[in-house]
Amino acid sequence: MTSLAPTRSDVVLRQVEAFAPERSVTVEEVAAGLGLNRYQTRLFRRIRGLHRMRSDPELGLFDLVRPPADALLATVPDRDQIRYLIFAHTAQDLTPTTLIAADVLRERLGLTGAEAFAVTQHACASGLLAVEVAGELLRADGDPGALALVLTGEQPFTRAVQVLWNTSIIGEASSACLVSLGGEGTRVLSYAARTVGEFFDGYQLAGEALHRFGSTYHTHLIAVIQEALDAAGLELDDLTMVIPHNVNISSWVTICAALGLARDRVFLDNVGEYSHCSCTDPFLNLATLARRGSLVPGGRYLVTAVGLGATYSAMVVEC
């Protein structure tokens, strides 16, 4: 087990944009294509709370990732300020070996002066890791005007990565997050992550290891949540809301019960509409709340993500 020490930071999320394909499919339609039986399908809808998800086979990977980045970049007067483009994704290989996805995105977005690379080591928690990495790079850069662009978005291209046992089904969405040191925006108060190496097999987990992963999932996530709260100098009651990853409803019902947290203090609206969208979940949820005008100025929010492998992470932010 390893842990990144949670620390207060001067990192600011200046803006977050998200995108999902217009085409929406029901869990029953997806289940039929994946060969799931009716009992599994009912489990996903009735217990896990998955109703629909976005999926468009006509969109390529870069068509999926670009819209939120284009929307965000339209508000940046000087794109030369963007020194880093960090593409966070879950599956390690998204393109043929002849293409480096981060480099292609840099070229297509016209950010030729930025250093581009991918972050995948924390699987579905890699998006929050990318924000942390962006902050460290900006501090080392030494230019207070420098910016980093964190992108997420990928398509589940095989059945093995589209269905997480009887836990969740992966949908499609993407996000773009502009990161700075200081300035206006959502301030990161703390970040904590814990990798439990015994579950390194990820998608290949089976038997006793899979059982242990399921039975300890909530314990490890709650421990990381507490680390992030401690680092921010906050208690659970100080939070305006928890903004989770969208793995399913039932996991959060269990976590809420263990924490003594009212379910209406956890933003779960997007679970039924989008399902789990890999690294994009936290940013999609932040963007949804911002679009609704539901983020309270001065409010403190706990953002979470869990990646197979297995990494549990939490970030406390202040709007």
Side-chain angles (χ1 to χ4, degrees):
M1 180 185 301
T2 61
S3 178
L4 292 177
T7 57
R8 281 184 178 273
S9 93
D10 48 358
V11 174
V12 171
L13 312 182
R14 284 202 177 182
Q15 185 176 342
V16 178
E17 297 283 347
F19 167 80
E22 291 186 9
R23 182 175 179 268
S24 181
V25 293
T26 66
V27 68
E28 287 79 12
E29 290 172 316
V30 174
L34 293 171
L36 303 179
N37 61 45
R38 63 176 180 172
Y39 301 107
Q40 290 172 303
T41 305
R42 287 178 181 174
L43 171 69
F44 281 124
R45 176 175 284 276
R46 298 183 182 181
I47 306 299
R48 305 307 186 202
L50 311 182
H51 300 158
R52 309 186 67 84
M53 58 210 66
R54 304 299 178 88
S55 176
D56 188 345
E58 299 300 317
L59 281 181
L61 172 65
F62 303 116
D63 298 322
L64 175 68
V65 177
R66 277 199 60 172
D70 286 336
L72 189 152
L73 289 173
T75 69
V76 178
D78 182 5
R79 296 189 181 188
D80 288 339
Q81 289 181 284
I82 299 177
R83 303 288 175 78
Y84 306 98
L85 183 156
I86 307 175
F87 182 27
H89 51 88
T90 296
Q92 292 189 357
D93 299 309
L94 300 181
T95 59
T97 55
T98 54
L99 291 179
I100 299 176
D103 286 348
V104 173
L105 287 166
R106 174 179 56 190
E107 296 300 319
R108 294 192 181 186
L109 293 171
L111 301 175
T112 53
E115 183 175 347
F117 60 94
V119 170
T120 70
Q121 290 86 347
H122 286 185
C124 289
S126 294
L128 297 186
L129 173 63
V131 171
E132 177 74 1
V133 170
E136 292 296 332
L137 289 171
L138 291 173
R139 289 190 195 97
D141 187 273
D143 180 355
L147 302 170
L149 179 64
V150 173
L151 303 177
T152 71
E154 58 197 284
Q155 298 156 314
F157 47 85
T158 68
R159 186 187 188 282
V161 299
Q162 190 169 8
V163 182
L164 298 180
W165 308 298
N166 287 321
T167 303
S168 196
I169 301 176
I170 307 299
E172 296 177 11
S174 59
S175 70
C177 179
L178 192 64
V179 181
S180 67
L181 293 184
E184 296 296 320
T186 298
R187 189 164 66 98
V188 176
L189 300 183
S190 67
Y191 167 77
R194 172 181 300 188
T195 297
V196 183
E198 68 173 297
F199 305 127
F200 72 94
D201 273 346
Y203 292 106
Q204 306 303 317
L205 280 176
E208 179 59 28
L210 179 57
H211 174 74
R212 286 199 308 276
F213 174 71
S215 63
T216 61
Y217 179 95
H218 311 96
T219 303
H220 289 306
L221 181 55
I222 288 170
V224 168
I225 286 172
Q226 192 59 56
E227 284 184 47
L229 287 171
D230 289 344
L234 299 174
E235 301 290 338
L236 197 62
D237 288 343
D238 296 322
L239 297 175
T240 305
M241 182 174 284
V242 175
I243 302 175
H245 51 300
N246 299 334
V247 63
N248 60 52
I249 297 288
S250 55
S251 289
W252 279 98
V253 170
T254 302
I255 292 169
C256 285
L259 287 171
L261 180 68
R263 181 174 160 179
D264 62 6
R265 293 183 62 205
V266 182
F267 180 68
L268 296 172
D269 293 10
N270 281 346
V271 176
E273 177 63 25
Y274 297 100
S275 187
H276 181 29
C277 299
S278 302
C279 291
T280 299
D281 284 353
F283 306 100
L284 173 64
N285 293 342
L286 275 168
T288 299
L289 288 166
R291 186 179 68 249
R292 294 180 180 179
S294 299
L295 292 175
V296 179
R300 279 81 172 264
Y301 297 85
L302 176 79
V303 184
T304 68
V306 176
L308 294 182
T311 298
Y312 308 80
S313 64
M315 180 175 283
V316 179
V317 301
E318 181 178 65
C319 293

